[in-house]
Amino acid sequence: YYLQEGVKFQSPHDGTEMLLSPEHSMEIQNSIGADVMMQLDDVVASTTTGPRVEQAMWRSVRWLDRCVAAHKRPDKQNLFGIIQGGLQADLRKKCVEAMLERDTPGYAIGGLSGGEEKDVFWRIVSLCTDMLPRNKPRYLMGVGWGCCVCVCVCVCVYVG
């Protein structure tokens, strides 16, 4: 579950409770030498509605600030901010604007491919890609359907 400090979960190895904070996430990614690093974010199911969506979006923005501060090798490893905001265009716009203020080397679009209708999915992808800089990598997280991959390439966003 999500806390301001990070994400608590049970270890898959021994069942003990663990806390993954933005700082610890950066420490792990720095230590393995990841070329592209993802911020720790608070992601809700794409079909979630109500105040939890906005709460998760703002927490993701705050956690990006903590990730940036904890990142030890910004000259060698690229930290991406992750755009959240569910299926709400106004929240997606606010999140993109907040992420652009942080000027990370690239951006990921998260929180999609979770059961939403394809027309809504494409509307959100288009909104985000229209606002994100074309001179930086843009990555759409969690997409694997062939037709979606092809369309994403056409709008200049990497998928995975």
Side-chain angles (χ1 to χ4, degrees), residues 51-63:
R52 177 70 180 97
V53 180
E54 186 169 11
Q55 176 190 41
M57 188 261 313
W58 287 119
R59 181 176 288 147
S60 295
V61 172
R62 289 190 304 274
W63 282 358

Side-chain angles (χ1 to χ4, degrees), residues 24-125:
H24 189 56
S25 172
M26 291 296 96
E27 180 183 331
I28 293 167
Q29 293 179 77
N30 282 147
S31 72
I32 64 172
D35 293 324
V36 174
M37 301 167 52
M38 294 293 156
Q39 74 159 105
L40 184 64
D41 63 332
D42 183 347
V43 61
V44 297
S46 62
T47 54
T48 300
T49 58
R52 177 70 180 97
V53 180
E54 186 169 11
Q55 176 190 41
M57 188 261 313
W58 287 119
R59 181 176 288 147
S60 295
V61 172
R62 289 190 304 274
W63 282 358
L64 176 58
D65 290 336
R66 290 172 57 190
C67 287
V68 168
H71 187 8
K72 301 294 185 217
R73 301 180 64 214
D75 56 323
K76 302 217 183 288
Q77 293 175 286
N78 298 294
L79 173 60
F80 282 32
I82 302 176
I83 310 302
Q84 292 295 346
L87 303 178
Q88 298 177 39
D90 62 325
L91 293 182
R92 288 285 175 163
K93 287 178 186 177
K94 287 178 185 177
C95 194
V96 170
E97 290 166 358
M99 295 296 177
L100 291 174
E101 288 175 12
R102 278 114 182 118
D103 195 30
T104 58
Y107 302 93
I109 302 167
L112 295 172
S113 294
E116 69 277 354
E117 296 293 324
K118 287 296 177 211
D119 65 320
V120 176
F121 168 86
W122 290 120
R123 212 169 329 151
I124 296 298
V125 170

